[in-house]
Amino acid sequence: MRRAVIDIGTNTVKLLVADVSGGGIIPIVSKDAAVRLGQGVDETRRLSRVAIARTVQAIADYAADAREHGAIEIKVLATSAARDADNRREFLDAVHAKTGLTVEVVTGQREAELIFRGVTSDPVWSTDRLLLMDVGGGSAEFILGRAGQIERLVSLPLGAVRMTERFPTFPQLAGFLRTTLRRELTGFGDARLVATGGTNTTLVRILKGKADHAGFTLDEVRAIVMKLNAMSLDERRRVPGLPPERAAIIVAGGAVVLFAMETLGAHELTVSVRGLRYGVLCEPE
């Protein structure tokens, strides 16, 4: 059965069209577009009309792509920006009016559960005890579990867009993240660290030139975050592996990864491209 998922994040809209059968997922089309739906939401608690308009158009384009590729079902989910916005109904109604699709606004807990299900749908990770870290535009999720069973999870408002907008200097950001992560990540036991989300896939592409099942060390991520922080925005836009539209938020996102690894005592991590969208496809029809 060919199914599609559209994931509406704070920074990007992502599409996955895949053939799903017997628990297996074969990707057909995977795309993402930076639309910055959550621009300013941390301060105003509202989605701007401009952000709504560009996001709705991206969703409409992806829905058309999914139908052209034969998807007989399209699920649409929205995460941090939509759930935090007081005017989310305006956005949801605009999506429905343009596309006929109904958007599910997921809680932080459900987002974390879907990420865990998506990553562990990969046979490589299906039986190991894992600590998953997903750093998105609005939030960061940390999920500990093994063989499909979640032991502990937390969803924190520490996304790359949110942190970029809130903290004008790196020392301010670093101080906040160290304090917050030390408080919130207590109780996460030893496990293999696997990372998902746009920040992590971008970092590993900068460092290694590829994403899925590639990884980096604590020393490597510290060095690249410091290097990127020392660059101007124009210089960052020319870094190989770093999409220009992510140049403004990569330092804050990378700082979340860096200080989370320090807090957890993790010396390395591995990146998985399977996340929320794969988790949705793993759910019963």
Side-chain angles (χ1 to χ4, degrees), residues 8-162:
I8 308 164
T10 300
N11 187 56
T12 59
V13 173
K14 300 177 182 178
L15 168 69
L16 175 63
V17 180
D19 288 333
V20 183
S21 178
I25 299 172
I26 302 173
I28 304 300
V29 177
S30 182
K31 295 182 177 181
D32 64 83
V35 296
R36 199 68 67 87
L37 174 65
Q39 188 169 14
V41 168
D42 189 58
E43 180 180 0
T44 67
R45 306 289 295 184
R46 293 185 63 81
L47 304 170
S48 74
R49 290 186 176 181
V50 172
I52 288 174
R54 65 182 176 235
T55 304
V56 169
Q57 185 57 56
I59 296 165
D61 291 343
Y62 281 173
D65 279 351
R67 292 180 179 119
E68 287 173 7
H69 284 88
I72 62 174
E73 174 190 81
I74 304 173
K75 288 194 174 183
V76 189
L77 289 83
T79 56
S80 181
R83 67 175 172 251
D84 290 347
D86 293 336
N87 65 330
R88 60 182 169 272
R89 176 48 55 188
E90 178 185 347
F91 169 63
L92 302 180
D93 288 347
V95 173
H96 191 268
K98 180 82 170 178
T99 68
L101 298 170
T102 299
V103 180
E104 176 190 354
V105 180
V106 300
T107 64
Q109 177 164 331
R110 174 153 163 75
E111 183 177 359
E113 290 169 348
L114 288 169
I115 291 164
F116 182 79
R117 184 178 289 125
V119 172
T120 55
S121 71
D122 187 335
V124 173
W125 313 120
S126 61
T127 59
D128 290 354
R129 190 167 190 252
L130 303 177
L131 174 54
L132 306 184
M133 171 174 58
D134 183 290
V135 181
S139 65
E141 280 68 44
F142 298 85
I143 313 108
L144 179 68
R146 182 201 295 270
Q149 298 299 313
I150 294 174
E151 301 171 24
R152 182 177 176 85
L153 66 80
V154 62
S155 178
L156 304 173
L158 302 179
V161 173
R162 194 184 299 267

Side-chain angles (χ1 to χ4, degrees), residues 173-220:
L173 172 64
F176 173 78
L177 288 175
R178 283 189 171 116
T179 300
T180 302
L181 291 166
R182 284 171 185 162
R183 180 182 68 245
E184 298 292 345
L185 295 185
T186 58
F188 283 88
D190 290 337
R192 181 164 191 167
L193 184 59
V194 177
T196 65
T199 290
N200 285 297
T201 55
T202 299
L203 288 171
V204 80
R205 285 191 176 108
I206 294 171
L207 289 165
K208 302 299 171 69
K210 60 179 182 177
D212 200 25
H213 297 160
F216 49 79
T217 66
L218 175 60
D219 288 342
E220 285 175 328

